[in-house]
Amino acid sequence: MKPFMDQDFLLKSDTAKALYHDYAERMPIVDYHCHINPMEIYEDKRYETITEVWLGGDHYKWRAMRSCGVPEKYITGDASPAEKFQKWAETLPSLIGNPLYHWTHLELQRYFGITEPLNGDNAMEIYEKCNAILAQPDMSTRGIIRKSNVKVICTTDDPADDLKAHELLAADPDTPAAVLPAFRPDKAMRADKADFPQYVARLEGVVGYPIEKMEDMRRALRDRIEYFAQHRCRVSDHALDYCFCVPADEARLDDILARAKAGRGITWEEQLAYHTALLLTVGQEYTRRDWVMQLHFGCIRDNSSAMFGKLGPDTGFDAVNDASSAVGLARLLDALEQAGALGKTILYSLNPSDNAVIGTIMGAFQTNSAIPGKIQHGSAWWFNDHKPGMEAQMTSLMTLGAMGSFNGMLTDSRSFLSYTRHEYFRRILCNLFGQMVEDGEYPADMAQLGQMVENISYRNAVRYFRFDEVIGA
C-alpha cells in the first residue's frame, strides 16, 4: 500500500518519478487563464481565515457541499467562517475520487505543512493552524505567488475595464510576477442578454462615441483591443454555449444591433449571426497583433433559475452542454481562416466527448504558422480537470495531434492557492509518459522525455504567448 499523497503521489513507475522530480517539479508556472482580481495582487491582500481563501468564491466546493446536504447557510450564507470551514471539512471524506479531495490536501501540504487528512474531527485544529500561518508575513497574495514560483498571470478583463490595477502592477518593481490582462468581450457579443443595452451604454462612455451601427461596435472593440495592447495584453478569451457560424449581411447586422440596444429582443439565430460577425472582427485584430484567441465552449449556464435569482452567475449551477460542436467548430474555423482571422487559437470544450472532434478538426487548420501547434487542444477544463479527464484529454491529443507542442495547464481559478493544480497536472503528465516507456511504447530517452515535460510544463506556453517579451525568459 502506498502512503497517502506522499512525494510520489500519482507516480506509478520509476520513469514517472524521474520525469517529475528531475524535470517537471522544478519548472516555473505560467498561469495564462485565471479569474483572480489583479487589484488584490497590487494591494498585497492578506487573508484572515482559510475559509476566505477556500470558500469565498469557489463554486467547485459549493457544489460538493450541496451534494452532501450542507444547508446554503454554511455555503454562501451568513454562517461564521469557522462554521463554514467545519462543514467543508465534514464534506471532504465523502469526496473520494473527486479532484477537490486531492487539491485540498495538496494545498494543505504545500502552503501549510499539514499532511494529515482533513475531516470533521480535526477541522478546528487545522483551521486555527492555517489561520496562524496565513498571518505570517510571507503568506500575503504576493508571498503565495512567490512561493509558487509563478512567472506570468493572465487575468480576465472586460473591454470596458480601465485596467488600473494592471497599470499599477506594471509600474511596481516589487510585483512578484508579470500580471497581464486578457481581453474577454463576452458582454459585447451577447446581444440577446437583458443587460445588453446597459452594457453598450457603458462601452460608449469608455470609447467616447455612440454605438449605433455594427461598424461602430467593431470600431469600439478595435479601440479597446488597442488599449489592452498598450497594457501588455496578448491573449483573449471567449465563452460560447456551443460552436456556430451564421453569416449575415451588414444591413441585417445593423438591424439586430439596433433592436438589441433598444431592448426589443432578438431571436437566437440573430444572436448567432451578430456573434459570428464580431468573432471575425476581433479574430482579424488578434491575428494582426499575434494574440492568442481562446474559445471555451460546451457549457449550459445558470440552470437553476431559483438559485440564479438568489446568488447570480458563477455560483455552481452550470453543466455540460451536449450540443454537437463538430460542424459549427469546423465552419467557424474555416470562416476565420478565410477572413484572415485565424491566428493562434486554443479550443476548450466542457464536454469530453468533443476531445476527438477538437483533435481532428484542429489538424485541418495547422498551416502557415511560425510556431508549432498554432491551433491548440486546451487542457482539460472545469468539470474535466481531474485525473481521468486530464488523462483523456492528453491521450486524445497524443493519438490525434502532437503532444510535444502542448501548452499545458492553467488554473482557471479565483483562488491564489490553486497553483497546486499545475503540480497535479504535471504528476499526471509524467505518469502517462512513464507508463508508455514502461510498456515499451516510447524509448527510455530521459533527455528527450525530460525536455518534452519541461516544454509542456512551462516553455511551450512562454513561446506561444510571447511571454518571453515580458519576463525575459
Side-chain angles (χ1 to χ4, degrees):
M1 180 185 300
K2 293 187 66 176
F4 171 66
M5 291 186 66
D6 68 352
Q7 65 177 359
D8 293 328
F9 172 56
L10 297 178
L11 305 172
K12 298 181 180 179
S13 67
D14 290 339
T15 305
K17 294 172 187 177
L19 287 173
Y20 180 74
H21 294 301
D22 294 345
Y23 298 96
E25 188 174 25
R26 67 190 183 194
M27 299 307 294
I29 287 174
V30 166
D31 199 26
Y32 54 86
H33 175 66
C34 73
H35 297 276
I36 60 176
N37 184 343
M39 190 58 77
E40 293 182 357
I41 302 176
Y42 177 72
E43 295 173 347
D44 202 16
K45 180 176 178 176
R46 305 196 66 89
Y47 299 96
E48 293 186 7
T49 70
I50 183 63
T51 303
E52 185 181 2
V53 183
W54 269 1
L55 297 170
D58 192 339
H59 53 79
Y60 286 70
K61 292 186 178 75
W62 295 351
R63 284 173 66 100
M65 294 170 76
R66 292 174 187 134
S67 296
C68 290
V70 175
E72 198 66 27
K73 172 183 177 179
Y74 299 100
I75 304 172
T76 60
D78 60 0
S80 70
E83 290 174 319
K84 289 181 176 180
F85 186 86
Q86 178 70 41
K87 292 299 183 182
W88 170 242
E90 292 172 3
T91 296
L92 203 54
S94 295
L95 303 185
I96 184 171
N98 190 306
L100 289 169
Y101 194 86
H102 293 152
W103 295 347
T104 294
H105 289 100
L106 281 174
E107 291 175 27
L108 285 174
Q109 290 182 15
R110 300 297 175 263
Y111 297 108
F112 302 99
I114 296 171
T115 57
E116 62 183 298
L118 174 63
N119 55 54
D121 294 334
N122 62 14
M124 286 302 97
E125 178 185 351
I126 289 179
Y127 178 74
E128 295 298 338
K129 183 173 182 179
C130 288
N131 293 347
I133 291 173
L134 284 171
Q136 295 177 358
D138 62 349
M139 282 298 286
S140 63
T141 52
R142 293 187 179 212
I144 292 169
I145 290 168
R146 290 189 180 100
K147 282 177 180 288
S148 306
N149 196 19
V150 181
K151 298 300 183 184
V152 181
I153 298 169
C154 291
T155 60
T156 301
D157 308 270
D158 186 89
D161 289 348
D162 63 11
L163 303 183
K164 182 63 176 178
H166 288 280
E167 290 180 358
L168 294 169
L169 285 164
D172 184 353
D174 194 43
T175 299
V179 184
L180 312 179
F183 190 73
R184 179 76 175 253
D186 293 349
K187 291 182 179 179
M189 298 196 169
R190 290 305 298 261
D192 59 315
K193 296 294 186 180
D195 61 354
F196 181 73
Q198 291 77 23
Y199 180 76
V200 174
R202 179 188 174 201
L203 188 57
E204 288 175 330
V206 171
V207 298
Y209 48 80
I211 299 174
E212 304 289 349
K213 294 184 177 295
M214 196 65 179
E215 190 52 39
D216 299 329
M217 180 61 80
R218 292 191 182 96
R219 177 189 171 193
L221 291 178
R222 291 189 189 106
D223 286 349
R224 296 312 291 171
I225 289 172
E226 170 60 26
Y227 182 78
F228 272 59
Q230 292 171 5
H231 290 75
R232 306 190 296 172
C233 180
R234 58 205 62 219
V235 58
S236 70
D237 185 40
H238 296 260
L240 314 177
D241 292 352
Y242 55 87
C243 294
F244 53 83
C245 183
V246 179
D249 61 35
E250 196 72 1
R252 186 185 181 204
L253 294 170
D254 285 343
D255 177 64
I256 292 169
L257 176 58
R259 284 187 287 114
K261 184 182 176 184
R264 297 203 303 269
I266 60 174
T267 67
W268 182 241
E269 185 75 8
E270 289 172 330
Q271 161 57 30
L272 296 183
Y274 170 82
H275 204 155
T276 299
L278 288 185
L279 284 173
L280 294 175
T281 296
V282 297
Q284 290 172 334
E285 280 298 303
Y286 303 156
T287 301
R288 184 173 71 84
R289 297 172 182 272
D290 198 25
W291 281 19
V292 175
M293 177 165 63
Q294 297 178 97
L295 298 176
H296 286 88
F297 55 90
C299 181
I300 309 173
R301 298 180 184 270
D302 307 318
N303 291 283
S304 171
S305 299
M307 294 308 294
F308 178 77
K310 292 178 181 179
L311 301 176
D314 302 320
T315 51
F317 299 96
D318 305 320
V320 173
N321 192 336
D322 66 352
S324 174
S325 294
V327 174
L329 177 60
R331 290 178 177 172
L332 176 61
L333 295 185
D334 184 51
L336 288 166
E337 185 178 60
Q338 290 189 61
L342 185 61
K344 292 181 291 189
T345 304
I346 308 178
L347 307 171
Y348 310 82
S349 177
L350 199 54
N351 191 334
S353 297
D354 286 338
N355 282 342
V357 169
I358 292 173
T360 53
I361 289 176
M362 74 179 191
F365 296 95
Q366 300 282 29
T367 51
N368 298 320
S369 176
I371 188 169
K374 168 184 167 182
I375 314 297
Q376 288 270 326
H377 185 175
S379 61
W381 170 45
W382 197 346
F383 293 125
N384 302 309
D385 55 1
H386 41 68
K387 182 173 179 283
M390 292 183 189
E391 289 174 341
Q393 183 270 340
M394 287 191 277
T395 299
S396 180
L397 177 56
M398 283 191 284
T399 54
L400 299 173
M403 185 68 180
S405 303
F406 183 34
N407 281 334
M409 187 58 175
L410 45 82
T411 64
D412 192 26
S413 175
R414 292 166 174 80
S415 171
F416 286 91
L417 296 184
S418 293
Y419 298 118
T420 52
R421 296 183 191 180
H422 286 262
E423 175 184 341
Y424 189 61
F425 164 83
R426 292 174 185 183
R427 288 176 178 272
I428 294 168
L429 167 69
C430 291
N431 192 61
L432 276 176
F433 281 9
Q435 192 59 53
M436 295 183 73
V437 172
E438 297 291 329
D439 291 342
E441 297 177 21
Y442 196 89
D445 183 340
M446 297 304 288
Q448 175 68 39
L449 285 162
Q451 183 179 54
M452 197 183 314
V453 164
E454 290 182 347
N455 288 345
I456 294 169
S457 298
Y458 176 68
R459 294 196 190 98
N460 285 350
V462 170
R463 181 175 66 250
Y464 188 79
F465 291 92
R466 297 183 292 117
F467 291 146
D468 55 321
E469 297 172 6
V470 293
I471 63 175

